[in-house]
Amino acid sequence: MIAEEITKQRKMVTELEAWYKILEQKKSPHKAVWEDIAKYLLPELEIGLVHGFQVPADYRPGADCYDGSARNSHKLYSAGVFGYSMNPGSRWFEAELFKPGYTPSKREKMFLDDLEDALYFEFDNSNFYQVMYECISMAAGLGTVSLNVSDEGDKLYYETRHPVQIQLGGTKKAIDVEFYEKDVFLKDIVKEYGIEKLPISMKETYKSSPFEIHRVKIAVFERDDWQQGFVTADKKKFASVHYAPTMDRGTVLKISGFDSFPDDFWRWRVDFENVWASSLAGDALYDIRYLNAMGKSSLTQAQLISDPPWVIPESMKGKMRIKPRGMMYYRDHTMLPKPLSTGINYLPLDKELERRKNIIDNHYMVAFFTMLMQAQKTMTATEILEKKSEQVAVLSPMLIIFTDFLTRVIDRTHNKAKSRMPKVPPGMDIRKIKLRFIGPLPRARQKLQEQGILRTLQALGESMKLIPGSEQSADYVNMDEITKHILKYDSAPARVVREDREVEEIRRIRAELAAQQRQIEAMQAQGQAYGNMNQAPVPGSPAEAAIG
């Protein structure tokens, strides 16, 4: 029985490893691009991408980078998207009940406020913001980000997967296969999975060498035979198989499962049917490589000019003092040492360097984000975003994908910390709750719709002035709905916005008061008419002629 189980495990591991190698081959074309991006932009990923986590003795981070302009642009872009989308110092999302034509009750509104507070607390009490900045930088750099959320008991832990440690499978629409690998001490394998999961030979090794390192892989994929509604992990939609491929020719440590895929992915731009996405840095990489090569050439030229090679008579070997205030004694003036002329024409590279830097800065919208950072001197960042709507429009495709990723991360945060979330009021459908992002950048994108409405109203107003009798055309415009739309997307606080029933009551009272006023005015006019009847007609008037 034991032998059959071992054979079954080895067969499963063999099949998983074959699948792993296929996915690894599909990833390989992207690795050359990633290596250069790590060298020039993301030195924190260089050890893994370039050296496979095997650190050379002479390793120096960023040693192959001769111009830091692109790295600074990348940092500014990442910080700008982070700070103006989800600044930890302010509220950057709201929860709302999405039911057209329905006005939430006071109890429902209070629940939504409590839900927002609970989610903000989870983010503030964890490493969420640090990891989200990493996600933005990695997505802009490499194109694909894998994020895992785990519950540490009293708080959540967010972790990005290093691209070297994962293999992905799926389609342009969705990722549904992930292999994640890590090197683990034998003692930690026993702690997580139990000593009974080790092969007999490894149990003895554990006693003598608990710090022996083994590679553990976790394969997550959709089961062919999953069934809806099953509680047991081995029947859930997504299988999770933990195994050690080199341990006794393949050992399965754990088989579990999930109802939904356990990780969330952000893919910058998916081209055709690729699983791995293209990135902003990849778009700028040609110019980044060129700028780096020019930076190296400029450095070499500067060194040759300031510290050239020398032609020295053999008789003066060991007697040279080429340094400030250096002194050399000689007898024959024809035997003087002199710099060697290399015959190289030193090209003026400043203009070309500047041109390449500008191209890279345009990729990263450096001028736009720099303007936002300096906003407080003349106008606020929000005012600048409203005026620079065309540049916000350029960011819109990224913001749509980013906020979709954030929505999924917030949903997962809610599910992981469900025991710490407020209780849902009876009769309220939590599936109808939607998130709205109110950071300056997402709001500026929403403002584009608002500006379109205002431009339309302005054009209608001008046309009604020019064309007599066209005032009735305004009947086509529902000003109530326009007002609601503007109040909603300007994030007006709920306490300052009246509900429909309140507005209806105000309008009813206003109509009654107006009717009463008209009635009073009519009675006054009627009374004045009666008073005039008691007066003698004016001489020569029609009234005098009628009386005769």
Side-chain angles (χ1 to χ4, degrees):
M1 195 71 180
I2 295 177
E4 291 179 3
E5 182 63 26
I6 292 173
T7 302
K8 183 180 178 181
Q9 285 192 17
R10 288 176 178 170
K11 182 182 178 183
M12 180 183 293
V13 170
T14 301
E15 291 174 350
L16 289 173
E17 282 295 278
W19 197 359
Y20 176 94
K21 289 178 181 177
I22 292 172
L23 298 178
E24 189 177 34
Q25 289 174 357
K26 290 184 177 181
K27 184 175 77 172
S28 59
H30 301 271
K31 292 185 69 175
V33 174
W34 293 349
E35 287 177 8
D36 280 356
I37 291 172
K39 288 178 184 177
Y40 306 140
L41 301 177
L42 301 171
E44 63 272 18
L45 300 178
E46 186 177 353
I47 293 177
L49 285 169
V50 180
H51 304 290
F53 296 106
Q54 302 298 319
V55 184
D58 59 345
Y59 173 67
R60 292 175 299 146
D64 294 324
C65 183
Y66 293 91
D67 189 293
S69 304
R71 185 176 298 177
N72 291 335
S73 299
H74 185 88
K75 285 183 178 179
L76 177 63
Y77 182 91
S78 302
V81 172
F82 176 81
Y84 292 105
S85 294
M86 48 182 306
N87 190 336
S90 61
R91 299 178 83 84
W92 47 273
F93 74 90
E94 291 178 345
E96 59 183 8
L97 198 60
F98 184 74
K99 292 174 70 176
Y102 175 75
T103 303
S105 66
K106 185 175 181 180
R107 187 176 184 182
E108 290 172 331
K109 289 181 178 179
M110 290 176 62
F111 167 77
L112 293 175
D113 289 342
D114 292 342
L115 177 63
E116 290 174 17
D117 291 341
L119 288 169
Y120 279 119
F121 176 80
E122 291 296 330
F123 298 146
D124 293 337
N125 196 39
S126 68
N127 64 334
F128 171 78
Y129 289 109
Q130 174 189 345
V131 172
M132 288 312 302
Y133 175 79
E134 292 176 9
C135 286
I136 295 170
S137 178
M138 193 180 293
L142 303 182
T144 304
V145 175
S146 173
L147 178 69
N148 179 265
V149 184
S150 57
D151 191 356
E152 299 282 305
D154 60 342
K155 63 181 180 180
L156 300 180
Y157 181 73
Y158 299 81
E159 180 185 16
T160 54
R161 309 293 199 191
H162 195 289
V164 169
Q165 295 177 296
I166 58 175
Q167 313 297 337
L168 302 178
T171 62
K172 183 175 182 177
K173 183 179 179 181
I175 292 173
D176 55 15
V177 178
E178 181 180 24
F179 281 76
Y180 170 60
E181 59 182 280
K182 55 184 178 179
D183 291 331
V184 187
F185 289 128
L186 193 54
K187 72 178 188 65
D188 292 328
I189 293 176
V190 171
K191 182 179 179 180
E192 182 172 356
Y193 302 105
I195 196 169
E196 68 277 0
K197 292 293 183 179
L198 297 182
I200 296 174
S201 60
M202 294 306 302
K203 290 178 181 178
E204 294 299 322
T205 304
Y206 165 66
K207 294 177 182 178
S208 59
S209 305
F211 290 96
E212 184 174 284
I213 295 177
H214 288 266
R215 179 154 295 183
V216 173
K217 294 183 180 181
I218 302 171
V220 180
F221 53 91
E222 186 174 347
R223 285 189 171 98
D224 295 329
D225 57 347
W226 74 280
Q227 298 179 28
Q228 186 75 35
F230 266 80
V231 178
T232 56
D234 61 335
K235 295 293 184 181
K236 290 185 180 293
K237 182 176 181 179
F238 291 95
S240 175
V241 181
H242 299 227
Y243 67 98
T246 60
M247 189 182 290
D248 195 30
R249 292 185 291 166
T251 300
V252 175
L253 300 169
K254 178 182 177 181
I255 298 179
S256 184
F258 303 95
D259 291 318
S260 60
F261 208 87
D263 289 351
D264 291 301
F265 301 95
W266 177 8
R267 294 189 289 176
W268 190 271
R269 186 184 68 247
V270 183
D271 301 321
F272 305 106
E273 289 301 316
N274 290 322
V275 173
W276 296 94
S278 302
S279 69
L280 178 60
D283 294 341
L285 188 56
Y286 173 81
D287 292 293
I288 293 172
R289 285 170 173 160
Y290 197 99
L291 184 64
N292 193 69
M294 291 175 67
K296 186 175 182 180
S297 297
S298 297
L299 181 60
T300 302
Q301 287 188 17
Q303 287 177 323
L304 286 172
I305 292 171
S306 62
D307 190 12
W310 285 75
V311 177
I312 303 171
E314 188 176 359
S315 61
M316 297 188 69
K317 184 176 181 180
K319 300 177 183 179
M320 295 293 296
R321 297 291 186 271
I322 302 175
K323 61 180 182 180
R325 297 181 63 83
M327 298 182 183
M328 293 178 290
Y329 301 92
Y330 62 93
R331 293 179 181 177
D332 186 355
H333 69 277
T334 63
M335 299 291 287
L336 288 177
K338 58 183 179 181
L340 175 65
S341 176
T342 60
I344 299 174
N345 292 323
Y346 298 110
L347 300 175
L349 299 177
D350 292 350
K351 289 185 178 180
E352 183 61 17
L353 282 169
E354 191 65 28
R355 190 177 77 87
R356 294 288 174 171
K357 288 179 182 179
N358 288 337
I359 292 173
I360 294 168
D361 286 351
N362 289 337
H363 278 289
Y364 283 102
M365 302 182 71
V366 168
F368 175 69
F369 284 109
T370 301
M371 189 185 303
L372 291 179
M373 290 174 63
Q374 299 172 348
Q376 303 305 325
K377 296 180 180 178
T378 53
M379 60 180 74
T380 66
T382 303
E383 290 171 336
I384 289 178
L385 287 168
E386 289 178 5
K387 292 180 179 296
K388 297 291 181 180
S389 57
E390 69 282 354
Q391 296 194 34
V392 175
V394 173
L395 284 168
S396 287
M398 181 278 296
L399 288 172
I400 292 170
I401 298 171
F402 179 42
T403 52
D404 177 67
F405 172 70
L406 278 177
T407 300
R408 287 181 276 117
V409 174
I410 294 173
D411 285 345
R412 193 173 296 277
T413 298
H414 175 270
N415 293 334
K416 290 285 184 179
K418 188 170 287 187
S419 62
R420 299 187 288 274
M421 294 291 117
K423 188 176 180 180
V424 182
M428 185 176 183
D429 187 356
I430 197 170
R431 294 172 299 179
K432 296 292 184 180
I433 296 176
K434 303 295 181 184
L435 297 174
R436 189 160 61 87
F437 295 94
I438 56 174
L441 275 178
R443 279 180 63 184
R445 186 177 68 83
Q446 295 162 358
K447 280 273 187 182
L448 295 176
Q449 300 177 353
E450 210 171 291
Q451 290 175 6
I453 293 173
L454 295 176
R455 282 195 297 267
T456 300
L457 292 177
Q458 185 179 5
L460 285 173
E462 294 295 330
S463 66
M464 284 188 285
K465 288 180 183 178
L466 295 173
I467 306 172
S470 63
E471 292 81 1
Q472 293 183 358
S473 300
D475 295 340
Y476 282 99
V477 180
N478 189 330
M479 287 304 300
D480 284 352
E481 291 302 319
I482 289 176
T483 303
K484 288 179 183 179
H485 181 88
I486 293 174
L487 288 171
K488 176 180 177 180
Y489 285 101
D490 271 354
S491 297
R495 62 179 177 273
V496 304
V497 180
R498 292 191 174 99
E499 296 181 358
D500 289 345
R501 57 181 178 80
E502 294 177 302
V503 174
E504 290 171 3
E505 181 65 14
I506 290 171
R507 289 177 176 176
R508 184 187 65 78
I509 294 172
R510 185 185 296 141
E512 289 179 356
L513 290 173
Q516 291 174 8
Q517 183 64 29
R518 287 194 299 271
Q519 188 175 6
I520 291 171
E521 291 174 354
M523 292 175 66
Q524 289 175 343
Q526 190 176 14
Q528 186 176 2
Y530 284 136
N532 291 337
M533 290 177 66
N534 296 325
Q535 298 178 5
V538 176
S541 67
E544 184 184 38
I547 294 173

